[in-house]
Amino acid sequence: MTRYSPLTPPPRLLMGPGPINCYPRVLSAMSTQLVGQYDPVMTGYMNEVMALYREVFNTKNQQTFLVDGTSRAGIEAVLVSAIEPGDKVLVPIFGRFGHLLAEIAERADAEVHTIEVPWGEVFTAEQIETAIKEVQPKMLAIVQGDTSTTMLQPLADIGAICEAHDVLFYCDATASVAGNPLEVDAWKLDAVSVGLQKCLGGPSGSAPITLSDKFVKTVRTRHHVEAGIRDEHHQSARGPRIRSNYFDLPMIMDYWGDERLNHHTEAATMLYCARECARVHLEEGQEQVIARHKVAGDAMLAGIQAMGLRPFGDLKHKMNNVVGVYIPDEVDGEAVRETLLLQFNIEIGTSFGPLKGKIWRIGTMGYNARQDAVLNTLQSLETVLRMQGMTLPAGAGVDAALSTYAEAANA
Amino acid sequence: MTRYSPLTPPPRLLMGPGPINCYPRVLSAMSTQLVGQYDPVMTGYMNEVMALYREVFNTKNQQTFLVDGTSRAGIEAVLVSAIEPGDKVLVPIFGRFGHLLAEIAERADAEVHTIEVPWGEVFTAEQIETAIKEVQPKMLAIVQGDTSTTMLQPLADIGAICEAHDVLFYCDATASVAGNPLEVDAWKLDAVSVGLQKCLGGPSGSAPITLSDKFVKTVRTRHHVEAGIRDEHHQSARGPRIRSNYFDLPMIMDYWGDERLNHHTEAATMLYCARECARVHLEEGQEQVIARHKVAGDAMLAGIQAMGLRPFGDLKHKMNNVVGVYIPDEVDGEAVRETLLLQFNIEIGTSFGPLKGKIWRIGTMGYNARQDAVLNTLQSLETVLRMQGMTLPAGAGVDAALSTYAEAANA
């Protein structure tokens, strides 16, 4: 018989590409006792979550709610609900999560067309427009911030292109939301999905999404009500049925909407969590939170450069909340990470695919987009690199970060 | 700008068919700060969760882990991973959740065959064997405890039948696990999925599952590694690709296994939760927990009957943890529920489908399988029925429940 001790994890400072440490208020919210699924208190919380995430997403979209799963559950719900077998989907890929969008669309039997730029770059609006003209897809699916490369794809000019060509515009903004601007209505996005575990400062496990009226109209053509709760008002089966029950967005909309048709049992604790993440974010203020991520990211970058380390990728398009750092030739990248973790309780990230073994990724997200977290990480990295035999200008990283913070305070 | 107050839900006593109140220890566990996804502490917790749920499921199955979503996410993961389009699946339906299994299998393009008994009954092993012989399915998919009818399907004799006919034996035990016996290995089950929100005393949002070696071998024939993390060791694509990325069990096994191949970002808080649910359950002891559910269910049933109310269905096959109660003709069922909720902070359940408006469902699950919860519910129900104009023998319900507890203590 196994028993195991109570949860007593070490107090890690999570400075990787996410997940990161939760805001303390978010942790507290998750220990709140439950109410029933159709309790007026619960449906009230559901409506509040919809309103709060409309603010987070900067949208008026009625259909703004949670998918119960990790951020890739949100992605799959959007794609599998919209795509009918044979539909053309265009996926511009600039990192690992572009590959993921293509893979999920392929499994939904879309005809997937991809364009790629080298890791560390982003697309121009012209490149995307050219591909849209050539492919004439039903949907454009693109990542906003891809932590695998630290790049932030500009989206502001793409919505108008999609609109002109009658293309649904979907974006996975999991890694970028709340740390970088995201203007769903102004940028004419039709669907956006995110997660809580990056700049929103929660754990993975709930995927807020927002859907434009145009997107909703498209997926509603495939609306089927579940057997067992069908009645004379809910018979309509039109387009081919969505292949997933769990990710059937029209059914989930009927559950979050006034109809309250039974679907899954809402993951109440993760709903409490998502609600508190949004409250923390909006109470501090979106612009303030993004500015806090910007200065933390700038300070980390300045510190890295002052230490003589080289950042990865096109810095004009770097996300605020993560930086890639070339691993110096003279050190063992994994040994550095392990010493930071086990001796300093600081986690920084490794990399995937073409960058594996070549760069570390250091994040400054959510609760950890803080001066003390940046300074502590830079000092500890300097110490560990010195332990590995490197010669570094003493204190140069932390001094540069302090200067960045001082300049920001005076600006 | 909307803000909304901190979470201050009323202290409901959740005596419906689930979700129910969480064990306090489970709530505390969910406010634990995170560690990183590949931190040795986290992978250690993942291994502990696998070991703990092997005990909960009474199995030696290596592949015992969590699907990140509600209990229907676990169902869909099992079905969509096993079913190739055209595969025959037999679903014996004795309530709403049988319809759900059939619906999910249909969306996976299975050739679904169903047999049904009236709500309130269960199947004999002979009925199931006859249908297996006739249909010759690849899989039998059945619910153990269907809260929509309160019935518990006997499973002990079905495994041998499935084995003799080379049929995969899958069971959704969400509502029954931890409140009723479930012997995965002894009963020769090939796949079982559950949720936390019933007798395990947690919130919805994580779906523990266990898979036999035979089931694993079947789904492994469709193993595809995700683009972007493929290398020379992970090329093999054999059977038709599983249609869902999120629910691709071979990929999720590679994430939980020694390979630790990246898939989703584990919902860490729900993993903490699932771990604590299992610890609470196993520390009290499985037999003791089931006995506690049995006496609470017996006491509730005795109380209901002593009040002159009529229970629903075949009581020989009633689940320990929920009872259906015919709504007396002279009262408004929904008004009774509303008064119980708003004036007594007690939630009892309504019903679906053919039982809608005809029965209430009263649960005694997990943390709420307690004497005080049973007594309080019976007293309050008596008071509310009296408020609605019914004449009842004063205190008969609570006295009968007290007697049941006294007899159990003396047995």
Side-chain angles (χ1 to χ4, degrees):
Chain A
M1 298 280 270
T2 50
R3 285 298 169 263
Y4 304 112
S5 60
L7 286 166
T8 49
R12 304 291 199 214
L13 180 64
L14 301 178
M15 302 299 282
I20 45 73
N21 297 95
C22 297
Y23 286 114
R25 266 179 58 183
V26 170
L27 293 177
S28 298
M30 289 191 285
S31 65
T32 305
Q33 187 53 278
L34 307 189
V35 296
Q37 190 174 7
Y38 292 102
D39 193 307
V41 174
M42 182 66 177
T43 53
Y45 288 150
M46 291 173 78
N47 290 339
E48 290 177 9
V49 164
M50 296 177 89
L52 287 163
Y53 279 89
R54 285 186 199 110
E55 280 195 55
V56 171
F57 283 125
N58 297 298
T59 183
K60 293 195 167 57
N61 287 340
Q62 172 63 24
Q63 298 300 346
T64 304
F65 53 90
L66 308 177
V67 173
D68 283 1
T70 74
S71 42
R72 81 168 58 194
I75 296 170
E76 188 158 319
V78 168
L79 294 179
V80 81
S81 291
I83 295 170
E84 299 180 24
D87 280 346
K88 285 192 273 192
V89 176
L90 174 64
V91 186
I93 296 175
F94 61 99
R96 180 189 169 208
F97 291 96
H99 285 290
L100 179 63
L101 299 186
E103 142 122 20
I104 294 174
E106 279 170 16
R107 292 198 191 213
D109 282 341
E111 181 185 315
V112 177
H113 297 255
T114 62
I115 53 176
E116 295 194 43
V117 288
W119 285 33
E121 299 178 17
V122 295
F123 293 90
T124 63
E126 292 69 34
Q127 286 174 301
I128 289 173
E129 184 168 28
T130 302
I132 282 178
K133 284 180 178 165
E134 197 176 299
V135 173
Q136 300 191 323
K138 176 179 184 176
M139 178 188 276
L140 174 74
I142 193 166
V143 173
Q144 182 182 25
D146 198 316
T147 49
S148 69
T149 71
T150 75
M151 292 296 105
L152 186 78
Q153 171 65 46
L155 299 175
D157 298 331
I158 298 176
I161 297 168
C162 287
E163 192 177 53
H165 295 274
D166 197 24
V167 172
L168 289 171
F169 181 19
Y170 162 60
C171 175
D172 165 24
T174 299
S176 49
V177 66
N180 308 269
L182 175 62
E183 299 287 338
V184 169
D185 286 358
W187 297 351
K188 298 173 181 288
L189 281 150
D190 289 305
V192 178
S193 66
V194 302
L196 305 178
Q197 73 273 21
K198 310 279 185 179
C199 305
L200 283 165
S204 172
S206 180
I209 68 172
T210 188
L211 309 173
S212 72
D213 293 345
K214 180 180 173 184
F215 186 94
V216 170
K217 200 175 156 195
T218 302
V219 298
R220 280 279 188 209
T221 63
R222 303 176 68 190
H223 193 192
H224 291 67
V225 174
E226 194 173 306
I229 53 175
R230 245 173 248 148
D231 64 23
E232 66 278 15
H233 302 300
H234 301 108
Q235 294 285 9
S236 53
R238 289 167 288 179
R241 183 152 68 167
I242 292 165
R243 283 181 169 179
S244 170
N245 172 293
Y246 195 70
F247 293 132
D248 184 314
L249 288 177
M251 293 207 304
I252 301 174
M253 287 187 257
D254 287 346
Y255 171 60
W256 282 78
D258 291 338
E259 296 183 299
R260 299 279 172 213
L261 279 186
N262 199 272
H263 183 248
H264 60 287
T265 297
E266 185 57 20
T269 298
M270 288 310 300
L271 180 133
Y272 287 174
C273 170
R275 181 179 182 278
E276 197 67 11
C277 287
R279 288 182 71 237
V280 168
H281 180 71
L282 296 171
E283 283 178 13
E284 181 176 348
Q286 287 199 61
E287 286 179 25
Q288 288 79 359
V289 175
I290 292 171
R292 176 162 59 79
H293 279 86
K294 174 84 168 78
V295 67
D298 285 351
M300 185 67 82
L301 174 62
I304 289 295
Q305 290 177 311
M307 288 166 73
L309 300 176
R310 190 157 64 95
F312 171 78
D314 178 356
L315 297 181
K316 285 194 308 294
H317 295 292
K318 191 183 84 60
M319 295 159 74
N320 286 332
N321 48 306
V322 61
V323 61
V325 180
Y326 281 98
I327 300 168
D329 291 337
E330 57 264 55
V331 302
D332 174 344
E334 286 305 287
V336 168
R337 291 207 316 123
E338 186 174 304
T339 305
L340 273 172
L341 185 73
L342 300 183
Q343 300 213 34
F344 294 82
N345 263 331
I346 297 175
E347 180 179 90
I348 66 169
T350 180
S351 301
F352 293 109
L355 301 180
K356 192 175 173 184
K358 292 184 185 155
I359 69 164
W360 296 306
R361 292 176 300 153
I362 305 180
T364 43
M365 304 194 193
Y367 186 52
N368 292 350
R370 294 195 322 271
Q371 180 173 318
D372 64 289
V374 171
L375 301 180
N376 185 5
T377 302
L378 286 167
Q379 288 173 165
S380 300
L381 180 60
E382 180 184 324
T383 302
V384 174
L385 291 177
R386 200 171 283 132
M387 288 162 74
Q388 284 262 325
M390 267 184 85
T391 306
L392 293 153
V398 70
D399 289 350
L402 281 165
S403 294
T404 303
Y405 268 101
E407 284 161 28
N410 294 330
Chain B
M1 297 282 269
T2 50
R3 286 299 170 263
Y4 305 111
S5 61
L7 286 167
T8 49
R12 305 290 201 218
L13 180 65
L14 302 178
M15 303 298 284
I20 45 74
N21 297 96
C22 299
Y23 287 114
R25 264 179 58 182
V26 170
L27 293 176
S28 298
M30 288 190 287
S31 66
T32 305
Q33 186 54 276
L34 307 188
V35 295
Q37 189 175 7
Y38 292 102
D39 193 307
V41 174
M42 181 67 176
T43 52
Y45 287 150
M46 292 173 76
N47 290 339
E48 289 177 10
V49 163
M50 296 177 88
L52 287 162
Y53 279 89
R54 284 186 200 111
E55 281 194 55
V56 171
F57 283 125
N58 297 298
T59 183
K60 292 194 168 61
N61 286 339
Q62 170 63 23
Q63 297 301 346
T64 304
F65 52 90
L66 308 177
V67 172
D68 282 3
T70 74
S71 43
R72 82 168 57 193
I75 297 170
E76 188 158 321
V78 168
L79 293 180
V80 81
S81 291
I83 295 170
E84 299 180 25
D87 280 346
K88 286 193 272 193
V89 176
L90 175 64
V91 185
I93 296 174
F94 61 99
R96 181 188 169 211
F97 291 96
H99 284 289
L100 179 63
L101 299 187
E103 143 120 20
I104 294 173
E106 279 170 15
R107 292 198 190 214
D109 282 340
E111 181 186 315
V112 177
H113 296 256
T114 61
I115 53 175
E116 295 194 42
V117 288
W119 286 33
E121 299 178 17
V122 295
F123 293 91
T124 63
E126 292 68 34
Q127 287 173 299
I128 289 172
E129 184 167 28
T130 302
I132 283 178
K133 285 179 177 165
E134 196 175 300
V135 174
Q136 300 192 322
K138 175 179 184 174
M139 178 189 276
L140 174 74
I142 193 165
V143 173
Q144 182 183 24
D146 198 317
T147 49
S148 69
T149 71
T150 77
M151 292 295 106
L152 186 78
Q153 170 65 47
L155 299 175
D157 299 330
I158 298 176
I161 298 168
C162 288
E163 193 177 54
H165 295 274
D166 196 24
V167 171
L168 289 171
F169 181 20
Y170 162 60
C171 175
D172 166 23
T174 299
S176 49
V177 66
N180 308 270
L182 175 63
E183 300 286 337
V184 170
D185 285 359
W187 297 350
K188 298 174 182 287
L189 282 151
D190 289 306
V192 178
S193 66
V194 302
L196 305 179
Q197 73 272 21
K198 310 278 184 181
C199 306
L200 283 165
S204 171
S206 181
I209 68 172
T210 188
L211 310 173
S212 72
D213 291 346
K214 180 180 173 185
F215 186 94
V216 170
K217 201 175 156 194
T218 302
V219 298
R220 281 279 187 207
T221 63
R222 303 176 68 191
H223 191 192
H224 291 66
V225 175
E226 193 173 307
I229 52 174
R230 245 173 249 149
D231 63 24
E232 66 277 14
H233 302 301
H234 301 109
Q235 295 284 8
S236 52
R238 289 167 288 178
R241 184 154 64 167
I242 292 166
R243 283 180 168 182
S244 170
N245 172 294
Y246 195 69
F247 293 132
D248 184 315
L249 288 178
M251 292 207 305
I252 301 174
M253 287 187 258
D254 287 346
Y255 171 59
W256 282 79
D258 292 338
E259 296 185 298
R260 299 280 171 213
L261 279 185
N262 200 271
H263 184 249
H264 61 285
T265 297
E266 184 57 22
T269 298
M270 288 309 302
L271 179 134
Y272 287 175
C273 170
R275 183 179 181 277
E276 196 67 10
C277 287
R279 286 182 72 237
V280 168
H281 179 70
L282 296 172
E283 282 177 13
E284 183 176 349
Q286 286 199 63
E287 286 178 26
Q288 288 79 357
V289 175
I290 291 170
R292 175 163 60 79
H293 280 86
K294 175 83 169 77
V295 66
D298 285 351
M300 185 65 82
L301 174 62
I304 289 296
Q305 290 177 314
M307 288 166 73
L309 301 175
R310 190 157 65 95
F312 171 78
D314 178 357
L315 296 182
K316 285 195 306 296
H317 294 292
K318 192 183 85 60
M319 295 158 74
N320 287 333
N321 49 304
V322 61
V323 62
V325 181
Y326 280 98
I327 300 167
D329 291 339
E330 56 265 56
V331 303
D332 174 343
E334 285 305 288
V336 169
R337 291 206 318 123
E338 185 174 305
T339 305
L340 272 172
L341 185 73
L342 300 182
Q343 299 212 36
F344 294 82
N345 263 332
I346 297 174
E347 180 180 90
I348 66 169
T350 180
S351 300
F352 294 108
L355 302 180
K356 192 175 174 182
K358 292 185 186 154
I359 70 163
W360 296 306
R361 292 175 299 153
I362 306 181
T364 43
M365 304 195 192
Y367 185 51
N368 292 350
R370 293 195 321 270
Q371 180 173 316
D372 64 288
V374 171
L375 301 180
N376 184 7
T377 301
L378 286 166
Q379 288 174 165
S380 301
L381 179 60
E382 180 184 324
T383 301
V384 175
L385 291 176
R386 200 170 284 133
M387 288 162 72
Q388 285 262 326
M390 268 184 83
T391 306
L392 293 153
V398 70
D399 289 349
L402 281 165
S403 295
T404 303
Y405 268 101
E407 284 161 26
N410 294 331

